[in-house]
Amino acid sequence: MRIEVEETSGAARAGKLYTPHGAVETPTFMPVGTKASVKGLTPREVRETGAGVVLGNTYHLYLRPGPDLIREAGGLHSFSGWDGPMLTDSGGYQVFSLADTRKLTEDGAEFVSVYDGSRHVFTPELTTRVQEDLGADVAMVLDECPPADAGYEYQAESLRRTARWAERCQEAHTREDQALFGIVQGGLYEDLRRESLERTVSLDFPGYAVGGLSVGESREEMLRVVALTAAGLPEDKPRYFMGIGDPVGVLGVISLGVDMFDCVLPTRLARHGSVLTADGRLNLKNSRFRRDLGPLETGCACEACRDYSQAYLAHLVRENELLGHRLLTLHNLTFMGELCRRAREEIRAGSFESWSRGWISRYLAGAPA
C-alpha cells in the first residue's frame, strides 16, 4: 500500500493509491457497501460510476453472515464479486452511532446486536482478526468516535484510549497484504488533535484517517480541524476522511490535502428520492418534476440521465418502485465520481482553488427542492 502524489494545487493532492487489487486515482470518493453490497447495485454498475474503492462494515459483517463464512469464500472480494480495492472499518463508528446500547471499557466496546439482542465485545484484537478474515486491502484500527459536543476531559480520555487500542491493533495485525490505518481523534480541541497526531503518527502506520468529525460540528469547525490534522500527517502516506459525502464538504477536504473519503449520503439520498446535481440537490417528490420530460442533468453519462426523463423518475419515486432507487443511486454515485475526476483534473492543471470556488457557488445557488 502506497500513495504516489503526482501533482498539487495549494494543499490539494492528485495521484494514485496502489493496493493489492489495483491502483486508484486520488482524490477518490468511496461508496459504502455496509453489508458487502452497495445498496441496489451490482459491482459492475458500481465500477461504471467511477468508483475505485468500496467499503464494508466490520460490525455488520461480523454479526451476519460472519467472518468465518467470508474467509471460507475467499474473502470479501470473492464473496461480494467486487474485484477492486476494498476498505473495512473497525466498528468504531458503531461506538458512536449505537452509544445508547454499548458499554466502553479499556478492553473494548460491548455491543448489543441490532439483529437479535445478543451481546458482543469488540476488542482491538477481535476487530483486527475479523478484518484479516474479511481480507480488505485497508483495515482500520478500533477507535472511539465521540460526539461533537463531548467535553474536553472526555475527548482527552477518549483519544488516549484510542491510541492504546491502536497499539494493540498493530500488535495483533499479521497480514502483509493488508494495510492497517491509524485514526487521529481529539474532537475540536487543537491541543488534543496535536497530541493524537503525535501518538498516532509515531506508530508509523501505512495510512491515516481523520476521525471524530461529521458528527454534529459546523462546517467551519470541521474544516479548521481537518486543516490542522492533514498538515501534521506524513506527505507520503494516504489521508482518509471518515464519513463525508456532501459535495461542498468533499471539495473542502480535498482542498486541505485529503485523498480518500466515504459516506452513505449519496446512496441514502437516492433511496429517499433526492439527487445531486451541479445546480444543487433536487427532491423528485416535488410536484414540479411530475411533467418534466427533460433529463435529471444534461451531460451526465449515467443511465438515469441518458435513458429516462425526470417525469418518469419522479413517478418511480412516488410509487416507491425499486427501479427508481437503483437509477437515482447510479446517478448520485456517478455524480460523486465525476466530481472527483474533475477535481483531479483541476489539481493537475493548477487551478483547483478557483474552479472549486466557482463550482461551490453554482451548487449553493441552486435552491434545494
Side-chain angles (χ1 to χ4, degrees), residues 88-152:
T88 46
D89 67 1
S90 62
Y93 181 74
Q94 277 66 42
V95 173
F96 165 76
S97 64
L98 301 178
D100 292 341
T101 61
R102 60 95 173 122
K103 176 182 177 182
L104 282 182
T105 68
E106 181 63 25
D107 191 43
E110 182 178 349
F111 292 105
V112 175
S113 168
V114 296
Y115 299 109
D116 60 12
S118 57
R119 303 196 73 88
H120 304 267
V121 178
F122 276 46
T123 66
E125 292 78 13
L126 174 67
T127 60
T128 302
R129 185 172 71 248
V130 170
Q131 290 184 88
E132 289 191 334
D133 286 343
L134 298 178
D137 302 81
V138 178
M140 305 303 299
V141 300
L142 181 64
D143 68 320
E144 180 188 2
C145 176
D149 59 359
Y152 184 92

Side-chain angles (χ1 to χ4, degrees), residues 256-277:
L256 299 172
V258 170
D259 307 303
M260 312 156 61
F261 27 86
D262 74 286
C263 193
V264 298
L265 182 67
T267 52
R268 180 173 290 166
L269 285 175
R271 296 195 301 277
H272 289 84
S274 292
V275 291
L276 301 168
T277 77

Side-chain angles (χ1 to χ4, degrees), residues 134-281:
L134 298 178
D137 302 81
V138 178
M140 305 303 299
V141 300
L142 181 64
D143 68 320
E144 180 188 2
C145 176
D149 59 359
Y152 184 92
E153 294 301 325
Y154 189 94
Q155 289 281 8
E157 177 186 0
S158 173
L159 84 83
R160 291 160 192 161
R161 182 190 296 118
T162 289
R164 292 189 294 271
W165 284 357
E167 292 183 31
R168 289 166 57 187
C169 288
Q170 192 175 61
E171 291 173 2
H173 190 254
T174 62
R175 285 193 70 148
E176 295 184 359
D177 62 343
Q178 181 183 70
L180 179 69
F181 279 23
I183 303 175
V184 178
Q185 291 287 353
L188 303 177
Y189 301 98
E190 290 193 11
D191 61 327
L192 296 184
R193 280 281 164 179
R194 294 186 191 280
E195 178 183 342
S196 184
L197 266 168
E198 181 178 354
R199 296 184 68 152
T200 309
V201 172
S202 70
L203 295 174
D204 193 27
F205 287 103
Y208 297 91
V210 182
L213 296 174
S214 287
V215 289
E217 77 282 357
S218 69
R219 189 182 302 280
E220 291 73 20
E221 289 174 316
M222 179 196 76
L223 292 176
R224 172 180 60 82
V225 173
V226 174
L228 183 155
T229 306
L233 293 173
E235 293 184 0
D236 62 344
K237 301 287 182 70
R239 301 165 179 174
Y240 165 32
F241 186 108
M242 306 177 75
I244 190 165
D246 74 279
V248 175
V250 162
L251 292 179
V253 300
I254 289 175
S255 74
L256 299 172
V258 170
D259 307 303
M260 312 156 61
F261 27 86
D262 74 286
C263 193
V264 298
L265 182 67
T267 52
R268 180 173 290 166
L269 285 175
R271 296 195 301 277
H272 289 84
S274 292
V275 291
L276 301 168
T277 77
D279 293 303
R281 188 186 301 179

